[in-house]
Amino acid sequence: MRIQLIGILLMTGLLPLYAGMQMMKSLHWSRSYSNRLESVIDLGNALAGQIAQNGYLQQQLQPEVTAQLQALAGLMKGRIVLVNSSLVVVKDTTERQVGKTLISEEPIRAMRGEMTTYYNEAEGMTEVVLPILVGASAENSGQAIGVIILESSLEDIIAEHKSFVDSMVVLMIGAAMVLLVVALVISGAMTRPLRTLSERIGHVTESYDGTQIIESGGYLEAEQIGDAVGHMMERVAATEKSRQEFVSNVSHELKTPLTAIKVLSDSLVLEPDVPIEMYREFITDINAEIDREAKIVNDLLSLVKLDKTSGEMNIAEISINELLEIILKRLKPLALKRGIEMVFESYRTVLAEVDEVKISLVFTNLIENAIKYNRDGGKVMVSLNADHKYFYVKIEDTGIGIPEEEQGRVFERFYRVDKARSRETGGTGLGLSIAKSAVQMHKGSIKVQSIPGVGSIFTVRIPLSFVLTVQ
Ligand code: ADP
């Protein structure tokens, strides 16, 4: 960014400077050239006037006139040529063309009374060709009786122009250097907050404890970046924390049945004469622990599957009434064992677009909990209702209930209110988090209300039509 800034600042400074220099250069040259031309023309006119008055063209030139012309030509570092009306050269200060007849355009035009000027860039000369007029008055420009050609060297003004251009170039280089310094300073000041920010992010990243705030003085945008990065790091830290918790919970949960199995099998292996009854009892216990381990692994696998994107949902329109009836029928033996009555109340037929397997998991877990955490001879009431947008399933029990402060936590992975009881009933602490994930994948919600000793109500709300959101 800094390099771009320097580039922009230099360009915006140097381009107008360069254009200005070009303008000054051409202005300077045209001014010097036109000054010089004017003085040559003035001289030419003065000479023409003198020649016309004295009739020099008609007679042999006097030596002092020749000397005067020679001196003037020398002064101009050039040449003076006099041509008569027949375009024959009568005087040439260089003697080159005396007696010759000129056939070029300029003298012919001069004989018509016109003046021409010509800049010979290759030789660094200017040439003025003007008529020698007689009988000129205010109304009449007069009659041309000859032509005078003046050539003047521009050596001196070219040299002066060159030194002017040189000093301009030096000035330009000086200005460019000043601009560079200014650009360096400005770009440094402008990018400093961003550099400071990136340094601070670097420091905080190395030693982030989830609480540091990334401060960035400077301007609003840098502060916003600092805040955004801060939030992102907080989230990353929270995710990392929950990941670590999850891993340690999983390891702990998986270890518990294994420890029990190890203790049981050790006592059978180490004891020399174990009675057959004890063998049977311990093997039965080992079997139960293996079942438990398998259940935890199964639940974990369901959870992992639910963590995947909603793009993998297997959506179809199904009857929720039928689904609930099937689940209730499947769980009936579990309820009957403890004399629990199950009632299903449905207000209307509900068809909804859902992933049947995942939604079954939700209601199976909830109804199973309503039985597991119920009192013997209790009741489980399941009701289904819908409006134009959602369907609602309410699962109500007359069980032990959940203390208010625990209600928010029962959806956490491995969270159990009463560890011993949950273990007794074969719980893994994963059922409700599986249910919650599945509900969220359907863009629904799940809530709990409960009074300890009275019972709990779990309410699930799910949209009737599934909307796939592309992430
Ligand atoms: P678990 O496998 O232990 O049942 P869940 O995730 O299904 O795990 O439930 C988490 C905890 O929430 C349970 O251990 C239990 O303490 C409590 N809980 C869940 N449902 C009920 C309910 N209907 N009545 C009382 N407590 C419940």
Side-chain angles (χ1 to χ4, degrees), residues 365-366 369-370 372-373 397 400-402 410 412 415-418 422 426-433 456 458:
N365 274 318
L366 292 176
N369 280 351
K372 277 191 324 196
Y373 302 103
D397 65 56
I400 55 170
I402 306 164
V410 289
E412 290 173 18
Y415 191 81
R416 282 164 292 186
V417 178
D418 178 348
S422 163
T428 58
L430 291 172
L432 286 181
S433 56
S456 312
F458 282 85

Side-chain angles (χ1 to χ4, degrees), residues 99-152:
K100 284 188 185 159
T101 307
L102 300 181
I103 44 158
S104 54
E105 191 193 339
E106 291 88 351
I108 297 169
R109 283 173 62 182
M111 281 308 290
R112 273 194 245 123
E114 277 173 46
M115 179 184 79
T116 44
T117 64
Y118 168 70
Y119 170 42
N120 183 342
E121 199 176 348
E123 285 176 33
M125 302 285 276
T126 184
E127 192 187 86
V128 176
V129 181
L130 39 78
I132 301 168
L133 299 166
V134 284
S137 66
E139 307 83 48
N140 190 347
S141 58
Q143 174 71 38
I145 54 156
V147 176
I148 181 163
I149 302 170
L150 298 103
E151 280 180 20
S152 166

Side-chain angles (χ1 to χ4, degrees), residues 40-273:
V40 174
I41 292 171
D42 284 350
L43 179 70
N45 279 331
L47 276 176
Q50 216 179 344
I51 291 164
Q53 207 172 23
N54 299 328
Y56 287 150
L57 283 178
Q58 285 81 32
Q59 53 197 295
Q60 194 63 36
L61 286 177
Q62 284 133 3
E64 62 266 29
V65 179
T66 310
Q68 192 198 353
L69 289 178
Q70 214 70 43
L72 284 172
L75 217 64
M76 293 192 296
K77 286 205 182 127
R79 177 184 179 204
I80 298 174
V81 177
L82 296 183
V83 181
N84 67 16
S85 53
S86 334
L87 298 178
V88 175
V89 175
V90 292
K91 172 72 194 161
D92 180 350
T93 53
T94 61
E95 303 289 339
R96 279 206 307 259
Q97 284 179 305
V98 180
K100 284 188 185 159
T101 307
L102 300 181
I103 44 158
S104 54
E105 191 193 339
E106 291 88 351
I108 297 169
R109 283 173 62 182
M111 281 308 290
R112 273 194 245 123
E114 277 173 46
M115 179 184 79
T116 44
T117 64
Y118 168 70
Y119 170 42
N120 183 342
E121 199 176 348
E123 285 176 33
M125 302 285 276
T126 184
E127 192 187 86
V128 176
V129 181
L130 39 78
I132 301 168
L133 299 166
V134 284
S137 66
E139 307 83 48
N140 190 347
S141 58
Q143 174 71 38
I145 54 156
V147 176
I148 181 163
I149 302 170
L150 298 103
E151 280 180 20
S152 166
S153 162
L154 298 176
E155 220 172 57
D156 52 341
I157 67 163
I158 289 173
E160 196 257 339
H161 180 66
K162 194 173 166 304
S163 83
F164 173 78
V165 172
D166 286 350
S167 52
M168 290 275 287
V169 169
V170 172
L171 211 78
M172 174 99 178
I173 293 171
M177 279 165 58
V178 172
L179 254 169
L180 185 69
V181 173
V182 171
L184 279 170
V185 172
I186 292 180
S187 65
M190 283 177 79
T191 52
R192 190 171 306 118
L194 290 177
R195 268 177 287 131
T196 318
L197 182 65
S198 101
E199 272 165 30
R200 288 189 186 155
I201 292 174
H203 285 151
V204 171
T205 312
E206 276 165 25
S207 58
Y208 191 64
D209 62 8
T211 56
Q212 288 113 311
I213 293 166
I214 299 163
E215 280 177 31
S216 56
Y219 29 87
L220 190 66
E221 287 82 354
E223 266 170 40
Q224 284 169 343
I225 296 173
D227 288 350
V229 172
H231 288 141
M232 190 184 79
M233 288 173 76
E234 260 171 44
R235 285 194 61 173
V236 170
T239 311
E240 177 58 16
K241 196 169 157 232
S242 92
R243 195 188 65 85
Q244 279 174 3
E245 267 173 25
F246 181 65
V247 170
S248 88
N249 283 339
V250 168
S251 328
H252 177 78
E253 294 298 325
L254 289 176
K255 236 178 107 184
T256 318
L258 283 180
T259 315
I261 293 169
K262 179 74 179 150
V263 171
L264 291 164
S265 61
D266 268 356
S267 32
L268 292 180
V269 171
L270 299 174
E271 201 75 32
D273 299 306

Side-chain angles (χ1 to χ4, degrees), residues 303 306 361-362 365-366 408 410-412 430-447:
L303 206 59
L306 288 171
L361 269 178
V362 176
N365 274 318
L366 292 176
V410 289
F411 297 101
E412 290 173 18
L430 291 172
L432 286 181
S433 56
I434 291 173
K436 188 169 180 179
S437 296
V439 167
Q440 281 174 341
M441 287 182 86
H442 286 84
K443 308 271 172 299
S445 67
I446 181 164
K447 284 195 188 110

